[in-house]
Amino acid sequence: KNITNLATQVTSLQSVLSNKQQRGAFGQGRMEMIIQDGLPKGTYEFQRTLSNNTRPDCAIHFPDQRPLIIDAKFPLEGVTAFRDAKTDDERNVAGKLLRQSISRHIADIAGKYLLPGETQELALMFVPSESIYAELHDQFDDMIQRAFRSKVVIVSPSLLMLAIQVIQQIHRDAKMREGARARGD
């Protein structure tokens, strides 16, 4: 009975992940849960409209009033094609297509969401799967480096959790400084 239930759940997850819109919603939902679990309300906004009328998935407020932008991307099709390639030629073609897809995501995030004076100087591209992130890092380090040069940091769920902890500390430090200034320290 348990195996049947598990098989049903896996089949259900596969159908969700095979639909691009549902996959996007899954990635965004995973990102939102991590942020909501780690940061107090009022320190972030989902789907905030920026001055150029773009709407990133998330904007995390910083004490300097410039938000850190996070956008979720889930390049499952490209990674799956790369993993499933049977020949070197298929693998090369799949790798090239995956590089193009990741490059497009990087360019979109950098072009739309890195607004001098309005947003932080870097943005995060959230990949909602540790295994896909590991595959990108392992097989496509050139894309990780390209993203970094474009001021886009690709993060997995565990790296996003770590970033959220750093952001929590930034907010705590800002409150302590504010409190010290109010007391005249």
Side-chain angles (χ1 to χ4, degrees), residues 64-173:
D64 70 358
Q65 305 305 312
R66 295 180 309 134
L68 172 67
I69 302 301
I70 305 173
D71 211 49
K73 302 294 181 192
F74 202 164
L76 181 65
E77 291 162 343
V79 170
T80 301
F82 183 77
R83 285 179 182 164
D84 293 347
K86 305 278 189 260
T87 66
D88 286 345
D89 284 343
E90 286 179 7
R91 196 168 175 85
N92 289 338
V93 168
K96 184 177 181 181
L97 291 173
L98 182 55
R99 276 187 174 82
Q100 288 173 351
S101 172
I102 298 294
S103 290
R104 239 186 341 270
H105 291 322
I106 293 166
D108 282 350
I109 292 169
K112 292 178 183 177
Y113 306 138
L114 295 179
L115 306 176
E118 182 177 347
T119 63
Q120 293 294 320
E121 294 175 7
L122 64 82
L124 303 182
M125 179 175 130
F126 175 69
V127 176
S129 164
E130 294 292 341
S131 66
I132 289 177
Y133 175 82
E135 185 103 22
L136 291 175
H137 226 284
D138 204 38
Q139 299 292 323
F140 298 91
D141 188 58
D142 58 313
M143 290 289 92
I144 304 296
Q145 298 307 317
R146 174 179 284 180
F148 188 72
R149 286 190 303 274
S150 298
K151 299 187 186 280
V152 175
V153 178
I154 301 174
V155 296
S156 67
S158 57
L159 288 174
L160 181 58
M161 287 183 224
L162 178 63
I164 295 301
Q165 289 190 353
V166 170
I167 293 165
Q168 287 174 342
Q169 191 59 49
I170 290 169
H171 281 283
R172 276 190 219 111
D173 289 350

